Amino acid sequence: RVVLAGDSAHTTHFGIGSGTVLAVQDAIALADAVHAPGATLADALDAYDRRRRAVMGPIQDMAMRSMSWFEDVDGRMDGDPVRVAYSLFDRRGDQAPWRY
C-alpha cells in the first residue's frame, strides 16, 4: 500500500513556504486516521484523503495567487515602493485590507 503525503500528494508554490509543514500535517492526519477506533485500513485511508483534500483547497488557491504574483513581478515593480512591498506581503491574498 502507498500513501502520498507532502508535495507528492499536493504540491504548492515555493513562495508560500509550506512544503515541510504540509508533509508533517499529512503524517499526523494519516496517523490519526489509521489509529481511529474501529477503522479499517481502507476507511482510514479514505478518511485521510478526504480530510487533507478539504484542508488543501484554500492552501493551493493561495499558492496559485503567489505563483501568479511572481510570474508578473516585472509589471509590479514600477510603482510606489510601499505598494510593491505590500503587494509582495499580500501575494497569497490572506492579509487584512490596507489603506496607504
Side-chain angles (χ1 to χ4, degrees):
R1 311 250 173 162
V2 175
V3 174
L4 298 179
D7 285 340
S8 63
H10 33 243
T11 60
T12 59
H13 187 259
F14 65 87
I16 68 167
S18 297
T20 303
V21 169
L22 294 175
V24 170
Q25 290 172 342
D26 284 349
I28 291 168
L30 179 60
D32 286 348
V34 168
H35 294 291
T40 66
L41 182 57
D43 292 340
L45 294 176
D46 187 51
Y48 160 75
D49 184 58
R50 280 192 324 259
R51 179 177 171 186
R52 294 308 291 160
R53 282 181 191 266
V55 169
M56 287 306 302
I59 294 170
Q60 288 180 320
D61 289 344
M62 283 191 291
M64 288 297 293
R65 286 191 296 272
S66 180
M67 181 179 71
S68 295
W69 192 94
F70 282 103
E71 287 176 346
D72 191 34
V73 73
D74 289 342
R76 299 178 190 280
M77 293 296 146
D78 291 339
D80 172 33
V82 174
R83 289 191 186 279
V84 171
Y86 183 76
S87 175
L88 174 62
F89 180 62
D90 189 43
R91 71 187 179 276
R92 298 182 304 185
D94 61 345
Q95 299 302 315
W98 173 74
R99 292 188 315 222
Y100 178 57

